[in-house]
Amino acid sequence: MIIVTTRQMQQMDKNTIESFGIPGRVLMENAGRGALETLSDHFDLKGARVAVVAGRGNNGGDGFVIGRYLMEMGVSVSFFLLSNPNRVQGDAGVNMNLVMDLLAEHSQSQFIEITDKESLEAAGEILQDHDLFVDAIFGTGLNADVRGIYRDVIELINDSGKAVFSVDIPSGINADTGAVCGVAIQADATATFAFAKAGHILYPGNFHTGDLEVIDIGIPGHIAKAQSPDIFLPESHDIADLIPARNFNAHKGSFGHLLVLAGSPGKTGAAALCANAAMRTGAGLVTLGVPETLMPVIEPMVMEPMTTALAQTPSGGLSATAVDDITALLADKAALALGPGIGTDPGTRELIKGIMAIASVPMVIDADGLNCIAENPDILGTVKAPVILTPHPGEMARLTGKTTADIQQNRMETARNFAEKYKVILVLKGAQTLVACPDGAVSICPTGNPGMACGGMGDVLTGMIAAFLAQNLPPESAALAGVYVHGLCGDLLAQDYAFGFSASDMVANIPQALKTLFS
Ligand SMILES: NC(=O)C1=CN([C@@H]2O[C@H](COP(=O)(O)OP(=O)(O)OC[C@H]3O[C@@H](n4cnc5c(N)ncnc54)[C@H](O)[C@@H]3O)[C@@H](O)[C@H]2O)[C@H](O)CC1
Ligand SMILES: [K+]
């Protein structure tokens, strides 16, 4: 699914009206009619008393179109305008006047202005005495935190316990970030126009949107395309299409040999989880390189992956002196996974820098590998091969010098800017993991759940992404497929366990997730 920004949407509107020549009123009529169909699909309107609550902009205009059709359907509908009528201009004003003209024909309808505390007090009871609210207060024109009478009315609607239908986007939600701007409508369903916006998808906006319907309002395809939308919400078929079908005469060499460099004292499980996950995700062969004294500890943890002992530092982490052996190991590998449980020993950090300078295969760098890069992200410019980084917000904070709170408040912008600046695929983990590409494209992962918030999940993800790299998927596809299937794995487990399932359970469940993807 394509996701657009408010600027792109406003530009599409403008170009459709001014260059192509579909009048704005027609777009508003199409929007209102389409939204009405969604309303009728989601709510039983028979005998319902509907309150259309309108702002002064075009979102309100859509509300008036919806209300006009409701009146013609014989539905009891009242209008509450949170503005002076004389401030309602343009297409919205035209549709407001049409509603006013119809009032005379519909005695059960009323038109009430709520512009201050007094008028809210006077109208409050009437407003609450409805079964369904149509929220047409703010749409993509919201440009500040919601205050005053708007806030009071939104809180009254939210506290009413009645059904709520939002026009375009729940009022109070930032359409580009999903942030709640002071207060926001809690909708049961939302009808948006032309394309979904990130605010419908990104937390917490997704929890305010309810069921989302995208209404075609007649924006010509070429005008939409001209805005080059670059935010995507993949669906399972999009991911399945990324993974090549397997030929009948395939053999393990057909699916690549992955080298995993991981593990340090106390973090041996991370290495095993990563290597085992890679095998389960379809890599043809996996070799796991670990510090030599950990071999007897890790070997029993892995069956299918091969293991190789590498030089270690006095504290037991991988040593920079292992770089020659690793160079030789990489000669016949298709991809590299670097970092799970690798530790922050200075010698290991030297090794990581050395590997990045010589590796010529696509690589995924995670965990302490990221912390090494954080010392000097410019090192990414020295890497000859495609790089996928998989930071969680804390690691992203270290990579960017920002706070974790900053990262979480600007996830998409942070991920996109980093990917563009350093020419890497940046996987910003967390609820709704983002996959950002050097060309600015960002995908929002719809799979995953809080049951996955425990140690080891990242090691599994690294192995899964690396396995798709080993199978020769392009880096952005490998990252997207890995993130999506990883989340799908967790979702399938959450159906049975809610939470309490482990990273090891995830590894065991990868084949089931892949089966679901292709079913
Ligand atoms: N192609 C489409 O998507 C179409 C969308 N339509 C609808 O148009 C709105 C956008 O309309 P716009 O007039 O630009 O803005 P809003 O109605 O969202 O804003 C209302 C109004 O409120 C003011 N305002 C903004 N923030 C605040 C605030 N915090 N407090 C008080 N007032 C605020 C702002 O100045 C605006 O004037 C879109 O969502 C769709 O519903 C078209 O109808 C059809 C095509
Ligand atoms: K709205």
Side-chain angles (χ1 to χ4, degrees):
M1 181 192 284
I2 289 174
I3 308 290
V4 298
T5 64
T6 51
R7 188 195 58 75
Q8 289 169 331
M9 194 68 250
Q10 287 155 358
Q11 198 56 49
M12 284 183 212
D13 256 10
K14 187 170 181 296
N15 295 344
T16 299
I17 295 166
E18 294 175 7
S19 324
F20 190 68
I22 298 179
R25 252 196 81 193
V26 170
L27 292 180
M28 187 170 283
E29 193 74 14
N30 293 347
R33 284 200 70 129
L36 176 85
E37 281 166 33
T38 304
L39 184 69
S40 309
D41 291 347
H42 279 78
F43 304 97
D44 178 6
L45 296 176
K46 195 168 170 35
R49 292 163 302 156
V50 179
V52 173
V53 186
R56 66 168 180 266
N58 286 336
N59 195 242
D62 294 345
F64 291 127
V65 174
I66 295 166
R68 188 177 87 234
Y69 282 103
L70 287 171
M71 285 204 272
E72 295 298 342
M73 288 163 60
V75 175
S76 161
V77 53
S78 298
F79 298 86
F80 298 84
L81 175 61
L82 307 190
S83 168
N84 294 323
N86 57 17
R87 296 191 69 189
V88 184
Q89 306 294 319
D91 298 335
V94 168
N95 279 292
M96 179 188 71
N97 293 333
L98 289 179
V99 161
M100 287 179 161
D101 296 345
L102 265 183
L103 288 173
E105 309 295 323
H106 295 264
S107 56
Q108 58 185 352
S109 291
Q110 53 195 329
F111 192 103
I112 298 172
E113 293 163 35
I114 299 177
T115 53
D116 54 28
K117 285 233 183 268
E118 292 69 31
S119 50
L120 176 57
E121 235 165 77
E125 268 186 51
I126 301 170
L127 180 56
Q128 291 183 70
D129 189 26
H130 285 85
D131 308 306
L132 167 62
F133 290 102
V134 173
D135 154 37
I137 304 168
F138 299 128
T140 52
L142 182 74
N143 57 25
D145 272 1
V146 177
R147 293 186 185 82
I149 202 68
Y150 298 102
R151 182 182 189 94
D152 295 342
V153 170
I154 287 174
E155 286 174 342
L156 180 151
I157 292 171
N158 284 345
D159 296 344
S160 71
K162 304 290 181 62
V164 182
F165 173 73
S166 280
V167 179
D168 204 18
I169 192 153
S171 296
I173 292 293
N174 178 310
D176 286 327
T177 66
V180 171
C181 298
V183 70
I185 284 282
Q186 190 65 53
D188 299 291
T190 298
T192 191
F193 309 123
F195 296 96
K197 284 76 182 179
H200 296 118
I201 310 299
L202 295 175
Y203 178 82
N206 58 331
F207 282 95
H208 284 260
T209 297
D211 296 338
L212 178 65
E213 290 289 331
V214 181
I215 308 292
D216 179 357
I217 59 172
I219 305 278
H222 70 282
I223 286 187
K225 195 172 174 199
Q227 290 304 311
S228 314
D230 55 8
I231 305 172
F232 304 98
L233 182 72
E235 296 165 73
S236 59
H237 64 80
D238 298 316
I239 304 301
D241 291 347
L242 298 177
I243 303 167
R246 294 198 158 201
N247 294 326
F248 174 77
N249 61 351
H251 54 84
K252 58 180 176 294
S254 312
F255 304 109
H257 191 163
L258 169 68
L259 176 62
V260 176
L261 297 174
S264 61
K267 296 181 180 177
T268 51
L273 284 167
C274 180
N276 287 328
M279 284 305 304
R280 289 279 188 173
T281 310
L285 289 167
V286 174
T287 293
L288 171 58
V290 297
E292 52 199 346
T293 54
L294 295 180
M295 281 286 280
V297 174
I298 287 179
E299 283 207 306
M301 294 180 183
V302 294
M303 184 67 72
E304 294 79 9
M306 294 172 279
T307 52
T308 185
L310 294 170
Q312 64 185 50
T313 64
S315 65
L318 286 175
S319 159
T321 58
V323 68
D324 292 341
D325 288 345
I326 290 168
T327 304
L329 280 167
L330 281 169
D332 67 343
K333 300 301 183 288
L336 168 63
L338 176 58
I342 207 167
T344 54
D345 183 306
T348 306
R349 292 193 168 202
E350 276 317 298
L351 173 65
I352 291 169
K353 289 172 193 162
I355 293 168
M356 290 174 70
I358 55 104
S360 57
V361 294
M363 66 190 80
V364 193
I365 304 177
D366 183 33
D368 287 323
L370 295 170
N371 294 328
C372 167
I373 293 169
E375 286 173 0
N376 172 24
D378 290 335
I379 189 176
L380 291 165
T382 66
V383 186
K384 293 188 290 293
V387 173
I388 300 172
L389 304 182
T390 58
H392 58 55
E395 289 159 340
M396 192 66 187
R398 284 191 284 277
L399 280 167
T400 56
K402 295 179 178 183
T403 66
T404 303
D406 286 342
I407 301 296
Q408 289 298 80
Q409 274 152 25
N410 299 285
R411 285 175 56 86
M412 189 172 295
E413 184 189 340
T414 307
R416 170 181 278 149
N417 292 348
F418 193 95
E420 287 180 319
K421 179 176 180 184
Y422 293 104
K423 302 288 174 259
V424 297
I425 307 290
L426 195 284
V427 174
L428 181 53
K429 296 188 286 195
Q432 300 176 313
T433 290
L434 300 177
V435 178
C437 298
D439 66 359
V442 178
S443 292
I444 305 168
C445 182
T447 59
N449 63 78
M452 298 165 64
C454 60
M457 294 293 175
D459 306 317
V460 173
L461 174 62
T462 300
M464 294 178 75
I465 295 174
F468 284 125
L469 276 182
Q471 296 170 73
N472 207 28
L473 270 68
E476 59 277 6
S477 301
L480 194 51
V483 166
Y484 189 98
V485 178
H486 181 257
L488 182 58
C489 225
D491 290 344
L492 294 174
L493 285 164
Q495 287 171 8
D496 299 329
Y497 301 113
F499 60 91
F501 52 86
S502 67
S504 303
D505 296 329
M506 290 276 286
V507 173
N509 207 39
I510 291 170
Q512 182 60 40
L514 287 167
K515 179 185 172 205
T516 306
L517 188 70
F518 291 112
S519 57

